[in-house]
Amino acid sequence: EVGTTPVAGSMGNGKVFTLDPLVSSGNPTLSPGSSTLGNFTSTVTLKNLYGYGVLKGTYVDVVTDQCGESYGAYSDSNDFRFDHGDERFAEVMNYYYGDKYRSDLVVSSALYPSGSFLMIANCDVDDNAYYSQGYDSSGNLVDFVCIGRSTSYPTTTSFSDDGEVMMHELQHGTTGNAYSS
């Protein structure tokens, strides 16, 4: 089964936008509907992977609604350099920025919640992203963020295209866990 047996190491590669396509392009008039968005990606190192060939790691676990909340991106060599038009690009964005944000919390001794955080890329919600809690099949409380798609630009834009959106939603999870039971 995908995601249960180590096939690769704890680091990999992925394509992402540096925060968002507008910042990456340096063009303040770039439209979210532009067919050139994919020209502004960068290759980054993905850290803290468990090595299962999916985007599951120490601080975040990324699934996609495109596959019924299961893993979409798979690579037995941890090579997650997908083009922007590929649905798996959103998963890589979620992993990279989720892991980056939560790794920074570890450095500052402020990782809340302490376990891995579930991130749902391509979430089945229009024009929104949100943080919430739910229960898994074993009855355990699970913190998660749902990162939806744009209805204005459904073929070109996901809320996952903007790293600030993901970090914003993760901040809700951090403050909720740090200041309330």
Short mmCIF file of all heavy atoms in Angstrom, two decimals, residues 45-105:
data_model
loop_
_atom_site.label_atom_id
_atom_site.label_comp_id
_atom_site.label_asym_id
_atom_site.label_seq_id
_atom_site.Cartn_x
_atom_site.Cartn_y
_atom_site.Cartn_z
N THR A 45 14.05 22.05 -2.14
CA THR A 45 14.29 20.80 -1.42
C THR A 45 13.15 20.59 -0.44
O THR A 45 12.82 21.48 0.34
CB THR A 45 15.63 20.86 -0.67
OG1 THR A 45 16.68 21.06 -1.61
CG2 THR A 45 15.88 19.58 0.11
N LEU A 46 12.55 19.42 -0.51
CA LEU A 46 11.50 19.04 0.44
C LEU A 46 12.19 18.26 1.57
O LEU A 46 12.94 17.32 1.31
CB LEU A 46 10.45 18.17 -0.24
CG LEU A 46 9.78 18.77 -1.47
CD1 LEU A 46 8.84 17.76 -2.12
CD2 LEU A 46 9.03 20.04 -1.12
N LYS A 47 11.94 18.68 2.79
CA LYS A 47 12.62 18.08 3.95
C LYS A 47 11.62 17.33 4.83
O LYS A 47 10.41 17.49 4.69
CB LYS A 47 13.30 19.18 4.77
CG LYS A 47 14.33 19.96 3.98
CD LYS A 47 14.90 21.09 4.82
CE LYS A 47 15.89 21.91 4.00
NZ LYS A 47 16.40 23.04 4.76
N ASN A 48 12.15 16.56 5.73
CA ASN A 48 11.39 15.87 6.78
C ASN A 48 10.38 14.85 6.26
O ASN A 48 9.40 14.56 6.92
CB ASN A 48 10.68 16.89 7.69
CG ASN A 48 11.66 17.86 8.30
OD1 ASN A 48 12.65 17.45 8.89
ND2 ASN A 48 11.41 19.15 8.13
N LEU A 49 10.61 14.33 5.07
CA LEU A 49 9.73 13.29 4.51
C LEU A 49 9.97 11.97 5.24
O LEU A 49 11.08 11.68 5.68
CB LEU A 49 10.00 13.11 3.02
CG LEU A 49 9.60 14.27 2.11
CD1 LEU A 49 10.30 14.15 0.76
CD2 LEU A 49 8.09 14.30 1.94
N TYR A 50 8.94 11.15 5.36
CA TYR A 50 9.10 9.82 5.95
C TYR A 50 9.70 8.82 4.97
O TYR A 50 10.09 7.74 5.36
CB TYR A 50 7.76 9.29 6.46
CG TYR A 50 7.30 9.88 7.77
CD1 TYR A 50 5.95 9.96 8.06
CD2 TYR A 50 8.20 10.33 8.72
CE1 TYR A 50 5.51 10.48 9.27
CE2 TYR A 50 7.77 10.86 9.93
CZ TYR A 50 6.42 10.93 10.19
OH TYR A 50 5.98 11.44 11.39
N GLY A 51 9.74 9.17 3.69
CA GLY A 51 10.35 8.30 2.71
C GLY A 51 9.42 7.27 2.10
O GLY A 51 9.86 6.31 1.49
N TYR A 52 8.12 7.47 2.25
CA TYR A 52 7.14 6.53 1.71
C TYR A 52 6.82 6.76 0.23
O TYR A 52 5.99 6.06 -0.34
CB TYR A 52 5.83 6.61 2.49
CG TYR A 52 5.94 6.24 3.95
CD1 TYR A 52 5.18 6.91 4.90
CD2 TYR A 52 6.77 5.23 4.39
CE1 TYR A 52 5.25 6.58 6.24
CE2 TYR A 52 6.85 4.89 5.72
CZ TYR A 52 6.08 5.57 6.65
OH TYR A 52 6.16 5.23 7.97
N GLY A 53 7.41 7.79 -0.35
CA GLY A 53 7.12 8.11 -1.75
C GLY A 53 5.91 9.01 -1.90
O GLY A 53 5.48 9.29 -3.02
N VAL A 54 5.35 9.47 -0.78
CA VAL A 54 4.22 10.39 -0.79
C VAL A 54 4.60 11.61 0.06
O VAL A 54 5.64 11.63 0.70
CB VAL A 54 2.92 9.72 -0.24
CG1 VAL A 54 2.46 8.61 -1.16
CG2 VAL A 54 3.11 9.22 1.18
N LEU A 55 3.76 12.61 0.07
CA LEU A 55 4.06 13.85 0.79
C LEU A 55 3.57 13.76 2.24
O LEU A 55 2.68 14.47 2.68
CB LEU A 55 3.46 15.04 0.04
CG LEU A 55 4.09 15.24 -1.33
CD1 LEU A 55 3.29 16.23 -2.17
CD2 LEU A 55 5.55 15.67 -1.21
N LYS A 56 4.18 12.85 2.94
CA LYS A 56 3.89 12.61 4.36
C LYS A 56 5.20 12.77 5.11
O LYS A 56 6.20 12.14 4.75
CB LYS A 56 3.34 11.20 4.55
CG LYS A 56 3.00 10.84 5.97
CD LYS A 56 2.45 9.41 6.02
CE LYS A 56 2.06 9.00 7.42
NZ LYS A 56 0.86 9.64 7.91
N GLY A 57 5.18 13.62 6.12
CA GLY A 57 6.42 13.88 6.84
C GLY A 57 6.21 14.11 8.32
O GLY A 57 5.11 13.96 8.85
N THR A 58 7.26 14.52 8.96
CA THR A 58 7.27 14.74 10.40
C THR A 58 6.24 15.78 10.83
O THR A 58 5.58 15.62 11.85
CB THR A 58 8.68 15.21 10.83
OG1 THR A 58 9.64 14.27 10.37
CG2 THR A 58 8.77 15.36 12.34
N TYR A 59 6.08 16.85 10.05
CA TYR A 59 5.24 17.96 10.48
C TYR A 59 3.94 18.12 9.71
O TYR A 59 3.00 18.72 10.21
CB TYR A 59 6.04 19.27 10.42
CG TYR A 59 7.30 19.18 11.23
CD1 TYR A 59 8.55 19.29 10.64
CD2 TYR A 59 7.25 18.93 12.61
CE1 TYR A 59 9.71 19.17 11.39
CE2 TYR A 59 8.41 18.81 13.36
CZ TYR A 59 9.63 18.93 12.74
OH TYR A 59 10.77 18.79 13.48
N VAL A 60 3.88 17.63 8.48
CA VAL A 60 2.64 17.70 7.69
C VAL A 60 2.44 16.41 6.90
O VAL A 60 3.39 15.71 6.56
CB VAL A 60 2.61 18.92 6.72
CG1 VAL A 60 2.53 20.22 7.48
CG2 VAL A 60 3.77 18.92 5.78
N ASP A 61 1.19 16.15 6.63
CA ASP A 61 0.76 15.00 5.84
C ASP A 61 -0.22 15.55 4.81
O ASP A 61 -1.28 16.06 5.17
CB ASP A 61 0.08 14.00 6.77
CG ASP A 61 -0.32 12.71 6.09
OD1 ASP A 61 0.04 12.50 4.92
OD2 ASP A 61 -1.02 11.90 6.75
N VAL A 62 0.15 15.48 3.52
CA VAL A 62 -0.66 16.09 2.48
C VAL A 62 -1.40 15.03 1.66
O VAL A 62 -0.79 14.12 1.13
CB VAL A 62 0.19 16.96 1.53
CG1 VAL A 62 -0.67 17.56 0.43
CG2 VAL A 62 0.90 18.07 2.31
N VAL A 63 -2.71 15.20 1.61
CA VAL A 63 -3.56 14.36 0.77
C VAL A 63 -4.29 15.29 -0.19
O VAL A 63 -4.20 16.50 -0.09
CB VAL A 63 -4.57 13.52 1.61
CG1 VAL A 63 -3.83 12.54 2.51
CG2 VAL A 63 -5.50 14.41 2.41
N THR A 64 -5.04 14.71 -1.11
CA THR A 64 -5.79 15.51 -2.06
C THR A 64 -7.23 15.04 -2.14
O THR A 64 -7.50 13.84 -2.05
CB THR A 64 -5.14 15.46 -3.47
OG1 THR A 64 -5.92 16.24 -4.37
CG2 THR A 64 -5.01 14.04 -3.99
N ASP A 65 -8.14 15.97 -2.30
CA ASP A 65 -9.55 15.63 -2.49
C ASP A 65 -9.78 15.04 -3.88
O ASP A 65 -10.78 14.40 -4.13
CB ASP A 65 -10.45 16.86 -2.30
CG ASP A 65 -11.26 16.79 -1.02
OD1 ASP A 65 -11.14 15.80 -0.28
OD2 ASP A 65 -12.02 17.73 -0.76
N GLN A 66 -8.82 15.26 -4.80
CA GLN A 66 -8.96 14.71 -6.15
C GLN A 66 -8.99 13.18 -6.12
O GLN A 66 -9.49 12.55 -7.02
CB GLN A 66 -7.81 15.18 -7.03
CG GLN A 66 -7.78 16.67 -7.29
CD GLN A 66 -9.04 17.17 -7.97
OE1 GLN A 66 -9.87 17.83 -7.36
NE2 GLN A 66 -9.19 16.86 -9.22
N CYS A 67 -8.42 12.60 -5.06
CA CYS A 67 -8.36 11.14 -4.94
C CYS A 67 -9.15 10.66 -3.73
O CYS A 67 -8.79 9.67 -3.10
CB CYS A 67 -6.91 10.68 -4.82
SG CYS A 67 -5.88 11.10 -6.23
N GLY A 68 -10.18 11.38 -3.33
CA GLY A 68 -10.97 10.98 -2.18
C GLY A 68 -10.20 11.06 -0.88
O GLY A 68 -10.24 10.14 -0.07
N GLU A 69 -9.51 12.15 -0.65
CA GLU A 69 -8.67 12.38 0.52
C GLU A 69 -7.66 11.26 0.72
O GLU A 69 -7.56 10.64 1.77
CB GLU A 69 -9.51 12.60 1.78
CG GLU A 69 -10.13 13.97 1.83
CD GLU A 69 -10.75 14.31 3.16
OE1 GLU A 69 -10.26 13.84 4.21
OE2 GLU A 69 -11.73 15.07 3.15
N SER A 70 -6.91 11.00 -0.33
CA SER A 70 -5.80 10.05 -0.25
C SER A 70 -4.60 10.69 -0.95
O SER A 70 -4.67 11.82 -1.42
CB SER A 70 -6.17 8.72 -0.90
OG SER A 70 -6.43 8.90 -2.27
N TYR A 71 -3.50 9.97 -1.00
CA TYR A 71 -2.30 10.52 -1.61
C TYR A 71 -2.42 10.51 -3.13
O TYR A 71 -2.79 9.51 -3.71
CB TYR A 71 -1.07 9.71 -1.18
CG TYR A 71 -0.88 9.72 0.31
CD1 TYR A 71 -1.20 8.61 1.07
CD2 TYR A 71 -0.40 10.85 0.94
CE1 TYR A 71 -1.05 8.63 2.45
CE2 TYR A 71 -0.25 10.88 2.32
CZ TYR A 71 -0.57 9.76 3.07
OH TYR A 71 -0.43 9.79 4.42
N GLY A 72 -2.12 11.64 -3.74
CA GLY A 72 -2.13 11.73 -5.19
C GLY A 72 -0.72 11.70 -5.75
O GLY A 72 -0.41 10.95 -6.65
N ALA A 73 0.15 12.54 -5.16
CA ALA A 73 1.54 12.61 -5.61
C ALA A 73 2.30 11.41 -5.09
O ALA A 73 2.25 11.10 -3.90
CB ALA A 73 2.18 13.90 -5.11
N TYR A 74 2.99 10.71 -5.99
CA TYR A 74 3.82 9.57 -5.59
C TYR A 74 5.10 9.58 -6.40
O TYR A 74 5.09 9.84 -7.60
CB TYR A 74 3.10 8.24 -5.83
CG TYR A 74 3.98 7.06 -5.46
CD1 TYR A 74 4.12 6.67 -4.14
CD2 TYR A 74 4.72 6.40 -6.43
CE1 TYR A 74 4.97 5.64 -3.79
CE2 TYR A 74 5.58 5.36 -6.09
CZ TYR A 74 5.70 4.99 -4.76
OH TYR A 74 6.55 3.97 -4.41
N SER A 75 6.22 9.28 -5.73
CA SER A 75 7.50 9.12 -6.40
C SER A 75 8.39 8.24 -5.55
O SER A 75 8.65 8.57 -4.38
CB SER A 75 8.18 10.48 -6.61
OG SER A 75 9.51 10.29 -7.05
N ASP A 76 8.85 7.15 -6.11
CA ASP A 76 9.73 6.26 -5.33
C ASP A 76 11.14 6.83 -5.17
O ASP A 76 11.98 6.24 -4.50
CB ASP A 76 9.76 4.85 -5.90
CG ASP A 76 10.22 4.78 -7.34
OD1 ASP A 76 10.70 5.79 -7.88
OD2 ASP A 76 10.09 3.69 -7.93
N SER A 77 11.38 8.01 -5.76
CA SER A 77 12.66 8.70 -5.58
C SER A 77 12.49 10.08 -4.94
O SER A 77 13.43 10.87 -4.91
CB SER A 77 13.38 8.83 -6.92
OG SER A 77 12.62 9.64 -7.81
N ASN A 78 11.29 10.37 -4.45
CA ASN A 78 10.97 11.67 -3.84
C ASN A 78 11.19 12.84 -4.81
O ASN A 78 11.57 13.92 -4.42
CB ASN A 78 11.74 11.92 -2.54
CG ASN A 78 11.19 11.14 -1.38
OD1 ASN A 78 10.09 10.61 -1.44
ND2 ASN A 78 11.95 11.06 -0.31
N ASP A 79 10.93 12.60 -6.08
CA ASP A 79 11.02 13.65 -7.09
C ASP A 79 9.60 14.15 -7.38
O ASP A 79 8.86 13.51 -8.11
CB ASP A 79 11.68 13.14 -8.37
CG ASP A 79 11.91 14.25 -9.38
OD1 ASP A 79 11.60 15.43 -9.09
OD2 ASP A 79 12.42 13.93 -10.47
N PHE A 80 9.24 15.26 -6.77
CA PHE A 80 7.89 15.82 -6.87
C PHE A 80 7.90 17.12 -7.68
O PHE A 80 7.25 18.08 -7.31
CB PHE A 80 7.32 16.05 -5.47
CG PHE A 80 7.19 14.79 -4.67
CD1 PHE A 80 8.12 14.48 -3.68
CD2 PHE A 80 6.16 13.91 -4.90
CE1 PHE A 80 8.00 13.31 -2.94
CE2 PHE A 80 6.02 12.74 -4.16
CZ PHE A 80 6.96 12.44 -3.19
N ARG A 81 8.64 17.14 -8.76
CA ARG A 81 8.73 18.33 -9.61
C ARG A 81 7.65 18.25 -10.69
O ARG A 81 7.93 17.93 -11.84
CB ARG A 81 10.13 18.45 -10.21
CG ARG A 81 11.17 18.81 -9.16
CD ARG A 81 12.53 18.90 -9.73
NE ARG A 81 13.00 17.53 -9.97
CZ ARG A 81 14.18 17.22 -10.43
NH1 ARG A 81 15.04 18.17 -10.73
NH2 ARG A 81 14.54 15.97 -10.63
N PHE A 82 6.44 18.58 -10.30
CA PHE A 82 5.30 18.54 -11.21
C PHE A 82 5.06 19.94 -11.79
O PHE A 82 5.24 20.94 -11.10
CB PHE A 82 4.04 18.06 -10.49
CG PHE A 82 4.21 16.72 -9.84
CD1 PHE A 82 4.21 16.60 -8.46
CD2 PHE A 82 4.38 15.58 -10.61
CE1 PHE A 82 4.37 15.36 -7.86
CE2 PHE A 82 4.54 14.33 -10.02
CZ PHE A 82 4.54 14.22 -8.64
N ASP A 83 4.62 19.99 -13.03
CA ASP A 83 4.30 21.27 -13.66
C ASP A 83 3.08 21.89 -13.00
O ASP A 83 2.23 21.19 -12.43
CB ASP A 83 4.03 21.08 -15.15
CG ASP A 83 5.29 20.73 -15.92
OD1 ASP A 83 6.40 21.13 -15.48
OD2 ASP A 83 5.18 20.06 -16.96
N HIS A 84 2.96 23.20 -13.11
CA HIS A 84 1.85 23.92 -12.47
C HIS A 84 0.49 23.40 -12.91
O HIS A 84 -0.44 23.35 -12.12
CB HIS A 84 1.96 25.43 -12.75
CG HIS A 84 0.81 26.20 -12.21
ND1 HIS A 84 -0.14 26.76 -13.03
CD2 HIS A 84 0.43 26.47 -10.94
CE1 HIS A 84 -1.05 27.36 -12.29
NE2 HIS A 84 -0.72 27.20 -11.01
N GLY A 85 0.31 22.99 -14.12
CA GLY A 85 -0.97 22.50 -14.61
C GLY A 85 -1.34 21.12 -14.08
O GLY A 85 -2.47 20.68 -14.23
N ASP A 86 -0.43 20.43 -13.43
CA ASP A 86 -0.66 19.11 -12.87
C ASP A 86 -1.31 19.26 -11.49
O ASP A 86 -0.83 20.05 -10.67
CB ASP A 86 0.69 18.39 -12.75
CG ASP A 86 0.59 16.94 -12.37
OD1 ASP A 86 -0.16 16.61 -11.43
OD2 ASP A 86 1.30 16.12 -13.00
N GLU A 87 -2.38 18.52 -11.21
CA GLU A 87 -3.08 18.61 -9.92
C GLU A 87 -2.14 18.38 -8.74
O GLU A 87 -2.36 18.91 -7.65
CB GLU A 87 -4.22 17.59 -9.86
CG GLU A 87 -5.37 17.86 -10.80
CD GLU A 87 -6.24 19.01 -10.36
OE1 GLU A 87 -6.25 19.37 -9.17
OE2 GLU A 87 -6.93 19.57 -11.23
N ARG A 88 -1.09 17.60 -8.94
CA ARG A 88 -0.16 17.28 -7.85
C ARG A 88 0.71 18.47 -7.45
O ARG A 88 1.29 18.47 -6.35
CB ARG A 88 0.69 16.07 -8.23
CG ARG A 88 -0.16 14.81 -8.45
CD ARG A 88 0.63 13.68 -9.05
NE ARG A 88 1.07 14.05 -10.40
CZ ARG A 88 1.79 13.27 -11.19
NH1 ARG A 88 2.16 12.07 -10.77
NH2 ARG A 88 2.16 13.68 -12.39
N PHE A 89 0.80 19.48 -8.31
CA PHE A 89 1.55 20.69 -7.97
C PHE A 89 1.01 21.30 -6.68
O PHE A 89 1.78 21.73 -5.81
CB PHE A 89 1.46 21.71 -9.12
CG PHE A 89 2.19 22.99 -8.85
CD1 PHE A 89 3.55 23.11 -9.12
CD2 PHE A 89 1.52 24.11 -8.36
CE1 PHE A 89 4.23 24.30 -8.88
CE2 PHE A 89 2.18 25.30 -8.12
CZ PHE A 89 3.54 25.40 -8.38
N ALA A 90 -0.30 21.34 -6.53
CA ALA A 90 -0.93 21.89 -5.31
C ALA A 90 -0.51 21.11 -4.07
O ALA A 90 -0.30 21.69 -3.00
CB ALA A 90 -2.45 21.88 -5.45
N GLU A 91 -0.37 19.80 -4.20
CA GLU A 91 0.06 18.98 -3.06
C GLU A 91 1.49 19.35 -2.64
O GLU A 91 1.78 19.44 -1.45
CB GLU A 91 -0.01 17.50 -3.41
CG GLU A 91 -1.42 17.01 -3.67
CD GLU A 91 -1.42 15.60 -4.22
OE1 GLU A 91 -0.99 14.68 -3.50
OE2 GLU A 91 -1.83 15.44 -5.39
N VAL A 92 2.36 19.56 -3.62
CA VAL A 92 3.74 19.92 -3.33
C VAL A 92 3.79 21.29 -2.65
O VAL A 92 4.53 21.48 -1.68
CB VAL A 92 4.61 19.89 -4.60
CG1 VAL A 92 6.04 20.31 -4.30
CG2 VAL A 92 4.58 18.51 -5.24
N MET A 93 3.01 22.24 -3.14
CA MET A 93 2.95 23.56 -2.50
C MET A 93 2.52 23.41 -1.04
O MET A 93 3.11 24.02 -0.14
CB MET A 93 1.96 24.48 -3.23
CG MET A 93 2.46 25.05 -4.55
SD MET A 93 3.70 26.36 -4.37
CE MET A 93 2.76 27.68 -3.60
N ASN A 94 1.49 22.60 -0.79
CA ASN A 94 1.02 22.38 0.58
C ASN A 94 2.12 21.79 1.45
O ASN A 94 2.34 22.22 2.58
CB ASN A 94 -0.21 21.47 0.59
CG ASN A 94 -1.49 22.21 0.35
OD1 ASN A 94 -2.26 22.47 1.25
ND2 ASN A 94 -1.74 22.55 -0.91
N TYR A 95 2.81 20.78 0.92
CA TYR A 95 3.85 20.14 1.72
C TYR A 95 4.99 21.13 2.01
O TYR A 95 5.41 21.29 3.15
CB TYR A 95 4.43 18.89 1.05
CG TYR A 95 5.39 18.21 2.01
CD1 TYR A 95 4.91 17.30 2.94
CD2 TYR A 95 6.74 18.54 2.04
CE1 TYR A 95 5.76 16.73 3.88
CE2 TYR A 95 7.60 17.98 2.97
CZ TYR A 95 7.10 17.08 3.88
OH TYR A 95 7.93 16.54 4.83
N TYR A 96 5.48 21.78 0.98
CA TYR A 96 6.64 22.66 1.16
C TYR A 96 6.35 23.77 2.17
O TYR A 96 7.12 23.97 3.12
CB TYR A 96 7.06 23.26 -0.18
CG TYR A 96 8.22 24.21 -0.05
CD1 TYR A 96 9.50 23.72 0.20
CD2 TYR A 96 8.04 25.58 -0.16
CE1 TYR A 96 10.58 24.58 0.34
CE2 TYR A 96 9.12 26.45 -0.02
CZ TYR A 96 10.37 25.95 0.24
OH TYR A 96 11.44 26.82 0.39
N TYR A 97 5.25 24.48 1.99
CA TYR A 97 4.97 25.61 2.89
C TYR A 97 4.48 25.13 4.26
O TYR A 97 4.76 25.76 5.27
CB TYR A 97 4.02 26.61 2.23
CG TYR A 97 4.77 27.45 1.24
CD1 TYR A 97 4.66 27.22 -0.12
CD2 TYR A 97 5.67 28.42 1.66
CE1 TYR A 97 5.39 27.95 -1.04
CE2 TYR A 97 6.41 29.15 0.75
CZ TYR A 97 6.27 28.91 -0.59
OH TYR A 97 7.01 29.64 -1.49
N GLY A 98 3.76 24.03 4.29
CA GLY A 98 3.34 23.49 5.58
C GLY A 98 4.53 23.03 6.41
O GLY A 98 4.66 23.34 7.60
N ASP A 99 5.44 22.30 5.77
CA ASP A 99 6.64 21.83 6.47
C ASP A 99 7.52 23.00 6.88
O ASP A 99 8.06 23.02 7.99
CB ASP A 99 7.43 20.86 5.58
CG ASP A 99 8.67 20.36 6.27
OD1 ASP A 99 8.55 19.56 7.22
OD2 ASP A 99 9.78 20.77 5.86
N LYS A 100 7.66 23.98 6.00
CA LYS A 100 8.49 25.15 6.32
C LYS A 100 7.94 25.89 7.54
O LYS A 100 8.67 26.21 8.47
CB LYS A 100 8.55 26.09 5.11
CG LYS A 100 9.42 27.31 5.30
CD LYS A 100 9.58 28.05 3.99
CE LYS A 100 10.38 29.31 4.10
NZ LYS A 100 11.48 29.31 5.04
N TYR A 101 6.65 26.15 7.54
CA TYR A 101 6.02 26.87 8.65
C TYR A 101 6.17 26.09 9.96
O TYR A 101 6.60 26.63 10.98
CB TYR A 101 4.54 27.11 8.33
CG TYR A 101 3.77 27.72 9.48
CD1 TYR A 101 3.87 29.06 9.78
CD2 TYR A 101 2.95 26.93 10.28
CE1 TYR A 101 3.18 29.62 10.83
CE2 TYR A 101 2.25 27.47 11.34
CZ TYR A 101 2.37 28.82 11.62
OH TYR A 101 1.69 29.36 12.68
N ARG A 102 5.84 24.80 9.91
CA ARG A 102 5.87 24.00 11.15
C ARG A 102 7.30 23.72 11.61
O ARG A 102 7.55 23.65 12.80
CB ARG A 102 5.07 22.73 10.96
CG ARG A 102 3.60 23.15 10.70
CD ARG A 102 2.52 22.20 10.90
NE ARG A 102 2.66 21.10 11.80
CZ ARG A 102 2.33 21.13 13.09
NH1 ARG A 102 1.85 22.23 13.63
NH2 ARG A 102 2.46 20.05 13.83
N SER A 103 8.26 23.63 10.69
CA SER A 103 9.67 23.48 11.08
C SER A 103 10.16 24.72 11.81
O SER A 103 10.92 24.63 12.77
CB SER A 103 10.55 23.23 9.85
OG SER A 103 10.27 21.99 9.27
N ASP A 104 9.73 25.90 11.35
CA ASP A 104 10.09 27.15 12.02
C ASP A 104 9.50 27.19 13.43
O ASP A 104 10.12 27.72 14.35
CB ASP A 104 9.64 28.36 11.22
CG ASP A 104 10.48 28.60 9.97
OD1 ASP A 104 11.55 27.97 9.84
OD2 ASP A 104 10.05 29.39 9.11
N LEU A 105 8.32 26.62 13.61
CA LEU A 105 7.72 26.57 14.95
C LEU A 105 8.55 25.69 15.89
O LEU A 105 8.69 25.99 17.08
CB LEU A 105 6.28 26.05 14.90
CG LEU A 105 5.25 26.98 14.27
CD1 LEU A 105 3.88 26.29 14.22
CD2 LEU A 105 5.15 28.29 15.02
#
